[in-house]
Amino acid sequence: MPLVESSLIVLMIWAVLGYLIGSIPFGVVVTKVMGLGNLREVGSGNIGATNVLRTGNKGAALATLVLDAGQGGIAVALARLVGGPDAALLAALASFLGHLFPVWLGFKGGKGVATYLGTLLVLDWRLGLAACATWAMTAGVTRISSLSGLVAVALTNLWVVVLQDSAMLALSLELSVLIYWKHWPNIQRIA
């Protein structure tokens, strides 16, 4: 577990900046810019890439996926560069919470899988690649994006245990609980 080396002020700044970066609703922005209508009135009404795909525009869905992952990754990279490892972990959590509960959309955001993957890729590229590979393999077999995300998230916790990274395990477990909570209606449909 990384020592808390940053001052409380630095950590507070990265919590706020991480949240604001994570709260940019890229799915809404991309669909609006591309003239695809109001994303909140399409499919599930979710702001993520899977729902953007329901507009029929694969490019818009890919852009949303990359931007949602990027918002987590950028928050972590900047916080690590300026604040250190403790600030990076806090920025990961804050950007994830920003995506799930964006202030700009009345705290009704996405389900967090892409942002989770983006934070993992920057926090520990091995975990990030393993999670992305798990998602891709599961999606290739099941063709169900939400199930693929849930499997990737669950297995990532196992890989964190193997790497014996207690700080990452605490963060990964917290984010996993939130992802499963946000996916609860999907879990009920899949079951």
Side-chain angles (χ1 to χ4, degrees):
M1 183 165 186
L3 296 173
V4 177
E5 298 171 348
S6 301
S7 70
L8 182 58
I9 296 293
V10 168
L11 292 175
M12 288 172 50
I13 289 169
W14 282 108
V16 171
L17 288 175
Y19 174 83
L20 292 174
I21 292 168
S23 69
I24 301 168
F26 284 114
V28 173
V29 172
V30 167
T31 54
K32 186 172 206 143
V33 167
M34 296 182 83
L36 300 172
N38 181 353
L39 185 59
R40 296 302 220 164
E41 297 173 359
V42 174
S44 66
N46 192 281
I47 65 169
T50 300
N51 200 45
V52 172
L53 188 58
R54 292 184 180 113
T55 67
N57 191 313
K58 291 180 182 177
L62 179 60
T64 301
L65 176 68
V66 169
L67 290 167
D68 282 352
Q71 69 189 165
I74 287 170
V76 170
L78 290 174
R80 180 184 288 149
L81 180 68
V82 176
D86 54 351
L89 287 171
L90 185 57
L93 175 62
S95 66
F96 182 80
L97 291 173
H99 181 78
L100 266 57
F101 309 106
V103 65
W104 323 114
L105 299 177
F107 304 102
K108 295 177 183 168
K111 294 182 180 172
V113 174
T115 305
Y116 174 78
L117 293 175
T119 62
L120 281 182
L121 283 165
V122 178
L123 285 169
D124 187 327
W125 62 270
R126 300 166 301 173
L127 290 172
L129 289 180
C132 289
T134 302
W135 184 94
M137 287 187 284
T138 307
V141 172
T142 66
R143 300 280 191 223
I144 303 172
S145 179
S146 59
L147 178 61
S148 303
L150 293 169
V151 170
V153 167
L155 287 179
T156 298
N157 292 310
L158 178 64
W159 294 318
V160 173
V161 170
V162 170
L163 292 174
Q164 298 178 353
D165 187 340
S166 59
M168 266 302 297
L169 182 59
L171 176 66
S172 183
L173 288 171
E174 290 171 49
L175 301 185
S176 297
V177 167
L178 289 167
I179 287 172
Y180 272 77
W181 173 65
K182 290 291 273 189
H183 278 83
W184 186 248
N186 298 58
I187 293 168
Q188 291 176 314
R189 279 193 298 276
I190 291 168

